[in-house]
Amino acid sequence: MTPAPPASVGIEDRLLTFAVSLLVGGGALHVGTHVVSDAQDYAHAVLTALLGALVWAVLEPVPLLGELLAIAAWIGIVRWRYQLGWWHSAGVAVVAWMAAVVILAALELLGIGQISALGVPGA
């Protein structure tokens, strides 16, 4: 008996994965800004996550210094969007990464493992 071929992933599934990943990344950023400073609304965090993901996607492939440039630009976006200093923005980045790891681990326990935290590098 021949095993069945893997089911193809449709555009709806990809859009749903993108949307949930963006919401997870926005949630992690919202937690990070709430811990480090006075957080704005959740929609602000989701848009910041989207902008951060776009900048990360453009800069990360740069040879040799791509990851360093991407993380600096991502922290710069957090700094710009939340009107924070560099140290506070780096603090938001660390807390957002930790929150994303916890959120993704909880989703994995629930059996949802194809999700990432879009807009939070390394999560």
Side-chain angles (χ1 to χ4, degrees), residues 78-107:
V78 171
R79 181 179 185 268
W80 165 63
R81 295 279 295 158
Y82 288 97
Q83 302 298 311
L84 299 172
W86 285 104
W87 288 111
H88 282 102
S89 298
V92 167
V94 169
V95 174
W97 177 82
M98 290 188 301
V101 168
V102 169
I103 292 168
L104 292 173
L107 289 173

Side-chain angles (χ1 to χ4, degrees), residues 1-6:
M1 180 177 258
T2 307

Side-chain angles (χ1 to χ4, degrees), residues 6 15-16 22 27 36 48 50 57 61 86 105 111:
L15 287 173
L16 180 62
L22 183 58
V36 174
T48 303
L50 180 61
W86 285 104

